Amino acid sequence: MAGKDIRVFRREIGSETFNYCISLKKVETAADIVDHEFNGCTALEDVVVMNGGRSIGASAFYGCSNLKKLSLPDSVTDMTGGSLCGTENLATITVSD
C-alpha cells in the first residue's frame, strides 16, 4: 500500500486520532497537536505545522521511528515533555516565522 498524506485545518484534533496509522507518511496541519495524536505512526516521515498551530502535546509522536523532518511556525509556544520520544531518526527541526 502506498503511503498516505493528510492535511488538517481544524483548531484541534482529538487525542489518539491517528494512533497506529502505519501508512501515514506526511501531515500538514494548522491545528494544535494534542497528546498521543500520532502514536505508533511508523511510516510518518514529515510533519508540517502551519501558522496557527500553538502546541505539541505529550507523547504526540511517540514511536514515530521514521520521522525525519518537523517544521514548526513561531506560533508554537508549547511542546510538552516527551512529545518527540521515540523519534530516533528525526534529523531536522525547522522553526519559521
Side-chain angles (χ1 to χ4, degrees), residues 10-37:
R10 297 182 57 120
R11 168 55 50 210
E12 182 179 293
I13 304 166
S15 180
E16 302 179 14
T17 301
F18 297 102
N19 273 4
Y20 299 98
C21 290
I22 59 172
S23 63
L24 184 62
K25 292 192 72 136
K26 182 175 182 177
V27 173
E28 294 182 14
T29 183
D32 294 342
I33 297 176
V34 298
D35 298 352
H36 312 285
E37 191 163 343

Side-chain angles (χ1 to χ4, degrees), residues 6 10 12 20-23 26 30 35 37 42-43 47-49 58 61-62 71 75 80 82 93-94:
I6 62 166
R10 297 182 57 120
E12 182 179 293
Y20 299 98
C21 290
I22 59 172
S23 63
K26 182 175 182 177
D35 298 352
E37 191 163 343
T42 55
V47 175
V48 178
V49 179
F61 298 104
Y62 181 82
S71 301
S75 61
T80 305
I93 298 175
T94 305

Side-chain angles (χ1 to χ4, degrees), residues 4-5 9 16 25 34 45 47 49-50 59 63-64 71 88:
K4 304 294 181 194
D5 298 350
F9 294 100
E16 302 179 14
K25 292 192 72 136
V34 298
E45 296 178 352
V47 175
V49 179
M50 296 175 278
S59 301
C64 294
S71 301
E88 61 268 8

Side-chain angles (χ1 to χ4, degrees), residues 40-96:
C41 295
T42 55
L44 187 60
E45 296 178 352
D46 187 7
V47 175
V48 178
V49 179
M50 296 175 278
N51 199 22
R54 300 170 300 189
S55 63
I56 310 294
S59 301
F61 298 104
Y62 181 82
C64 294
S65 55
N66 284 311
L67 184 63
K68 295 174 178 70
K69 182 179 175 187
L70 176 62
S71 301
L72 304 171
D74 62 4
S75 61
V76 172
T77 57
D78 181 38
M79 286 187 76
T80 305
S83 58
L84 298 175
C85 185
T87 59
E88 61 268 8
N89 289 308
L90 183 61
T92 305
I93 298 175
T94 305
V95 179
S96 61

